[in-house]
Amino acid sequence: MEISSMTTTVAHDYYDVGVFTQNFSNTNNSGNDEQQFECMLPVNTNGLAVFVIYGIFANLIGLFGIFGNTISMIILSRPQMKSSINYLLIGLARCDTVLIIIAVLIYGLPAIYTYTGALFDYKFIVYPKTIKYLYPLSCIAQFVTVYLTLTVTLERYIAVCHPLKARSFCTYGRAQVAVLVIVTVAVIYNLPKFWEIEVFNERHWKYNVTVYCVKPTELRSNEHYVTLYINWMYFFVYYMFPFITLVIFNTAIYRRAYVGFQVRKANRDLQQLSRHQRREIGLATMLMCVVIVFLICNILPMITNAHETFVGDPPELMVQIGNLLVTINSSINFIIYVIFGRKFKRIFLKLFCSSKLFVPGRDSPEFQTYDESIVTNTTNIELRNSVRHGHLNRANTVSWNNNIHGTTISNGGTRQQSLKSGRPVSPGSCVYYPGKNLTRSPSQMSRTSNSRNNWNRRENGDSTL
């Protein structure tokens, strides 16, 4: 949610309180009923546009976002999904959910009254008494969302560009500390916003009942406070610094992961990419999509804030569309996880879809879903490979020892020669094998080849999500 646009909606509408009060008094005294005022604002001004953008689209997208973020938090909280990057994504989903709920309470529900006249009690009783707290909470949630996105990008940068440092830096404990620090800084930075809005009451022009309205406090009306803290600091802290940093880190990730990938592909060395490297590239692709969507959805709010900072109050339609885009950004990450996260999609299908629709296999919900986090030392496939190689080495060793001791049975020749020579047969190591024909049929060889191909396919690995 764009804080500057909320400031425009909540505070700038009442910036010249004296002028609005004078106009309101003159209207009532003159008996002119053509233009009525509610909370010192004209009634039904651009009500249809507000209703369509906020009352319909913002509410529907917000409901979908709450549903998707809830599912994301459930899946990312599973024991097999425990990792530092997933912990950061859980925090991002929580903040996005808070932003969506606040967007619905501040924009979506009041917009319904603006055009239809419904939810009168919420508009003039509940909303004025809660906006004083919802507004600062939205600022805190947006701060955390922006810098959690930046932290996720930094984590990917370390994992892809400095893989040797990822084992010590990209840990679950450090992710918890990062979230705690970001939340603490967000609360401290946005503390002054709790004193920017105050409530007053008036008599409603139509129902003749007492209604509650909001207006800016003296702090929010201070010119230096607005210029320095509301405009300049907000533009730098919420937009300029995060945007530049995200572009730099993601450019480095792209150059290291994708350019290197194309070079190996051109040199026919693609098979030399380890399973861990493939997983890192897949995860980097998904998170880069998250960042790209974040940048796209926040370009218009950044332009709106720059317009307010350097020019003046932005057009109302620009503010409304910017708020809708930020709501979309908070609601769309679930779709990105399902599209690009193979493990995320597998667990989602297992938890929320019928298993009868799938057959056991690589992408089946019944397939293994053990932890394959960023800093996993030994994956399950590596364990299976080590066991398989151990069996092969043991079989080769036994065969070699048996050949030395002359106990290999080939048409009975070796043992019969030992008996004819009169020498005792060396005891050797006794290994009993089931009676099988040593010559393999074509079907057996085909099954062996298929099993090896299956092992090779499994070694290609899937991403953390």
Side-chain angles (χ1 to χ4, degrees), residues 42-76:
V43 177
N44 294 330
T45 302
N46 200 18
L48 179 59
V50 174
F51 175 74
V52 172
I53 295 175
Y54 289 154
I56 297 179
F57 288 111
N59 287 334
L60 293 179
I61 294 172
L63 291 177
F64 172 79
I66 294 173
F67 174 77
N69 289 332
T70 302
I71 295 179
S72 299
M73 288 185 283
I74 293 174
I75 295 177
L76 295 174

Side-chain angles (χ1 to χ4, degrees), residues 275 362 367-368 372 378-388 455-462:
R275 181 176 180 276
R362 179 66 186 167
F367 198 78
Q368 63 88 18
E372 296 172 358
T378 306
T379 62
N380 294 309
I381 293 178
E382 291 171 348
L383 288 174
R384 289 199 296 267
N385 289 338
S386 63
V387 172
R388 180 164 62 92
W455 276 106
N456 293 330
R457 284 195 298 267
R458 291 182 182 181
E459 287 177 352
N460 289 334
D462 51 5

Side-chain angles (χ1 to χ4, degrees), residues 129-233:
K129 293 182 178 180
T130 57
I131 187 64
K132 182 178 180 180
Y133 307 100
L134 293 177
Y135 170 50
L137 288 177
S138 67
C139 300
I140 294 172
Q142 188 192 17
F143 186 101
V144 177
T145 299
V146 171
Y147 282 91
L148 275 182
T149 305
L150 184 59
T151 304
V152 168
T153 303
L154 179 61
E155 201 267 1
R156 285 294 82 216
Y157 170 78
I158 296 175
V160 174
C161 300
H162 304 281
L164 298 179
K165 297 181 180 180
R167 194 178 298 272
S168 58
F169 281 95
C170 303
T171 62
Y172 196 82
R174 289 182 182 273
Q176 291 178 317
V177 173
V179 172
L180 180 62
V181 171
I182 292 174
V183 172
T184 303
V185 175
V187 173
I188 295 175
Y189 177 82
N190 291 284
L191 275 179
K193 297 187 182 296
F194 283 94
W195 292 274
E196 289 188 7
I197 299 174
E198 63 182 0
V199 180
F200 68 97
N201 59 67
E202 66 178 31
R203 300 296 294 183
H204 194 267
W205 65 275
K206 183 177 181 180
Y207 300 104
N208 196 28
V209 295
T210 301
V211 295
Y212 297 92
C213 307
V214 295
K215 67 177 182 179
T217 61
E218 293 183 1
L219 176 65
R220 182 60 180 79
S221 302
N222 186 279
E223 182 179 356
H224 300 289
Y225 176 83
V226 172
T227 303
L228 179 62
Y229 180 74
I230 299 298
N231 293 336
W232 285 98
M233 290 186 63

Side-chain angles (χ1 to χ4, degrees), residues 6-27:
M6 183 179 293
T7 302
T8 303
T9 303
V10 175
H12 283 181
D13 289 341
Y14 312 102
Y15 198 88
D16 297 324
V17 178
V19 176
F20 279 110
T21 304
Q22 182 179 0
N23 293 336
F24 178 73
S25 301
N26 294 336
T27 302

